[in-house]
Every structure is written in structure tokens, then in C-alpha cells.
Amino acid sequence: MDTCENIQFVCPACTRSIEITESVRDALVESGCVICGADVDDSAFALEKTAQRASSPSACDPQ
């Protein structure tokens, strides 16, 4: 199994949580939460390492 780093976003205002890409992270910092519009800073993001099965498509590779 390979490991993959995913970015987890949790809005500090509405507490919605989603897995995102690096480009979406940049857009959230620039524009705010897409759900409630709250300002977002670096504390709203966390890197998570997940195991990726060799037989499944890699979540790390953009499609």
C-alpha cells in the first residue's frame, strides 16, 4: 500500500468538513468558506495521511 497526503478543511464558523486539493485550499484562503462565507486561515486545514490500495486509483493523482 502507498500513502497519500490529503488536505482536510474544517470551517471555523459553520464546522463543515471536506477533503480538498491544494488549489481549492488556496481558493478558500482567498475567498472564504463556500458554505457560509466566513474568513479562513491556515488553522482550518490539516494534512492527513491515508493508505491507498495498489488496485484502486490514487486519490493523490488529479484526474
Side-chain angles (χ1 to χ4, degrees), residues 45-61:
F45 305 96
L47 282 180
E48 294 182 343
K49 291 189 179 198
T50 57
Q52 195 69 23
R53 293 188 185 274
S55 60
S56 63
S58 176
C60 296
D61 295 332

Side-chain angles (χ1 to χ4, degrees), residues 9-17 33-40:
F9 166 70
V10 179
C11 177
C14 70
T15 67
R16 293 296 292 247
S17 176
C33 176
V34 296
I35 304 299
C36 70
D39 289 339
V40 173

